[in-house]
């Protein structure tokens, strides 16, 4: 097998603001893995904010790991090294190996309609108004990043948002682990019994196991950062939702297998991919839609750039990233 890689860089159409900061630019590398008989597998190796990924002390920096990685070896060599690689490199290789094993050979699945990611702060209300004006009567799902501004102001915005939100729409609130227990309980009191609330996403720090479990007794809670930062804390006994960001989690094949088996209460979310990563993510979202608990994936369509770097054709993506 022969491996090639090349860097890419792009800017989001507008800055993503959350409790973890402001994010506008994405960098990373594309992988092209040639297998037997010339078959190709494609992967993406993203550089992501530290808050999105699990700390990996003792492992090589990502670019150095790429530069030192043997580009020509047997399949067994690639597989043997995966557990010791930085998670982003393991992700890209796992994607490429899954494709060489036949993923997408029959066809790549299309993602269902995504949840709409609303901007943080006071911009949420005009964004919701604009979305309502261009949407049909069909129910939609919206996600709002909270824990960005003063809590009292966000609570007031929540009241106004709920006044505008149609009765058949769904709402997700994402605090990115920034609330303390008292703040989270205040929001839970306000939202308890609110039929439009789909879940609070990572309302508390990933390591606050007891706080998350207690909160989940009052309102639906979904884990996000906890799945990467403290995966050993959450096994089969977590009965709530899990929001997986595949491009931040290492080798994606175990998640792919879970979705193929129809694991319930699992939803995929974007890390703002090129066309190669997006094709893979959309396939996972398509699998989730066929499972026992279909919900809108978190693909943030308004934040996704366009152009050849985001094509569904991986060769076009590869060429668009050329120096």
């Amino acid at each position: 097998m022969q491996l090639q890689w090349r860097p890419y860089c792009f800017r989001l159409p507008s800055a993503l603001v959350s409790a973890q900061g402001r994010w506008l630019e994405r960098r990373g590398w594309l992988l092209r893995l040639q297998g037997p008989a010339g078959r190709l597998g494609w992967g993406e190796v993203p550089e992501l904010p530290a808050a999105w990924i699990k700390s990996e002390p003792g492992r090589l920096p990502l670019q150095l790991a790429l530069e030192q990685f043997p580009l020509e070896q047997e399949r067994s060599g690639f597989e043997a090294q995966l557990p010791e690689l930085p998670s982003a490199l393991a992700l890209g290789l796992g994607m490429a190996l899954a494709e060489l094993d036949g993923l997408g050979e029959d066809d790549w699945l299309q993602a269902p309609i995504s949840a709409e990611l609303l901007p943080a702060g006071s911009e949420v209300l005009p964004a919701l108004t604009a979305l309502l004006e261009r949407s049909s009567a069909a129910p939609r799902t919206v996600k709002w990043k909270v824990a960005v501004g003063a809590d009292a102001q966000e609570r007031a915005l929540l009241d106004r948002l709920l006044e505008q939100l149609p009765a058949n729409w769904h709402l997700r609130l994402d605090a990115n682990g920034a609330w303390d227990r008292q703040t989270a309980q205040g929001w839970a009191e306000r939202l308890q019994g609110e039929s439009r609330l789909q879940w609070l996403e990572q309302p508390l720090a990933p390591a606050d196991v007891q706080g998350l479990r207690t909160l989940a007794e009052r309102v639906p809670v979904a884990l996000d950062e906890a799945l990467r930062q403290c995966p050993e804390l959450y096994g089969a006994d977590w009965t709530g939702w899990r929001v997986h960001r595949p491009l931040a989690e290492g080798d994606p094949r175990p998640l792919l297998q879970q979705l193929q088996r129809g694991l319930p209460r699992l939803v995929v979310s974007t890390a703002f991919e090129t066309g190669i990563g997006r094709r893979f993510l959309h396939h996972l979202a398509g699998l989730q839609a066929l499972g026992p608990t279909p919900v809108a994936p978190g693909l943030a369509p308004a934040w996704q750039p366009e152009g050849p770097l985001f094509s569904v054709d991986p060769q076009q993506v590869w060429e668009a990233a050329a120096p």
Side-chain angles (χ1 to χ4, degrees):
M1 286 185 169
Q2 292 183 326
L3 179 69
Q4 294 176 279
W5 55 271
R6 60 177 46 167
Y8 67 83
C9 178
F10 65 86
R11 291 171 69 86
L12 302 179
S14 57
L16 177 68
V17 180
S18 74
Q20 297 168 344
R22 186 175 183 271
W23 198 35
L24 184 59
E25 188 175 80
R26 271 273 278 107
R27 294 178 179 271
W29 296 265
L30 303 178
L31 300 186
R32 183 181 185 271
L33 182 61
Q34 184 169 335
R39 183 177 174 85
L40 296 177
W42 303 89
E44 182 168 335
V45 180
E47 277 194 345
L48 297 174
W52 287 33
I53 59 179
K54 183 180 179 181
S55 175
E56 299 179 308
R59 296 196 180 183
L60 289 174
L62 185 51
Q63 182 161 355
L64 184 59
L66 269 166
E67 292 171 349
Q68 294 186 3
F69 193 77
L71 299 181
E72 187 167 354
Q73 54 185 315
E74 297 294 326
R75 167 73 180 254
S76 58
F78 285 104
E79 293 284 6
Q81 294 177 75
L82 269 175
E84 304 304 321
L85 295 174
S87 60
L89 181 50
L91 160 79
L93 284 171
M95 287 175 59
L97 290 169
E99 186 169 1
L100 288 179
D101 287 339
L103 182 67
E105 190 170 31
D106 296 328
D107 204 1
W108 291 89
L109 295 178
Q110 299 298 306
I113 294 176
S114 170
E116 291 282 348
L117 178 60
L118 300 175
S122 60
E123 294 182 13
V124 64
L125 298 177
L128 177 59
T129 298
L131 178 61
L132 290 167
E133 289 174 350
R134 68 176 184 266
S135 296
S136 65
R140 300 290 297 274
T141 300
V142 294
K143 175 177 174 177
W144 182 32
K145 294 279 189 180
V146 292
V148 173
D151 186 63
Q153 294 176 354
E154 289 189 335
R155 293 282 296 274
L157 287 170
L158 172 68
D159 289 338
R160 295 174 63 187
L161 185 152
L162 290 174
E163 289 174 0
Q164 294 187 38
L165 197 68
N168 61 348
W169 283 37
H170 303 292
L171 174 65
R172 301 170 185 173
L173 299 175
D174 186 2
N176 290 112
W179 283 339
D180 57 26
R181 290 189 182 186
Q182 182 177 357
T183 302
Q185 287 293 344
W187 284 73
E189 289 175 8
R190 171 64 181 83
L191 291 163
Q192 193 166 11
E194 172 55 66
S195 61
R196 292 168 293 181
L197 178 68
Q198 199 160 55
W199 57 64
L200 297 182
E201 187 169 327
Q202 200 62 58
L204 300 171
D208 189 359
V209 183
Q210 186 55 51
L212 288 164
R213 295 191 186 283
T214 300
L215 195 65
E217 295 173 0
R218 304 191 65 175
V219 292
V221 171
L223 304 181
D224 183 349
E225 285 84 354
L227 301 177
R228 295 176 295 281
Q229 296 181 23
C230 306
E232 69 280 0
L233 299 178
Y234 304 101
D237 58 339
W238 178 260
T239 59
W241 284 87
R242 296 189 297 161
V243 180
H244 282 271
R245 210 179 298 269
L247 264 73
E249 297 183 7
D251 187 349
R253 290 175 295 177
L255 177 61
L256 172 64
Q257 293 168 2
Q258 291 177 351
L259 286 165
Q260 290 171 331
R261 296 198 310 266
L263 190 72
R265 294 179 297 282
L266 188 159
V267 63
V268 296
S269 184
T270 183
F272 303 99
E273 304 79 11
T274 71
I276 287 174
R278 190 184 298 184
R279 180 182 66 159
F280 188 86
L281 178 64
H282 283 201
H283 187 82
L284 297 184
L287 287 173
Q288 200 274 331
L290 298 173
T293 53
V295 293
L299 306 180
W303 266 263
Q304 296 288 355
E306 298 298 331
L309 191 62
F310 310 96
S311 169
V312 296
D313 181 348
Q315 186 62 41
Q316 287 187 22
V317 180
W318 182 257
E319 292 170 359

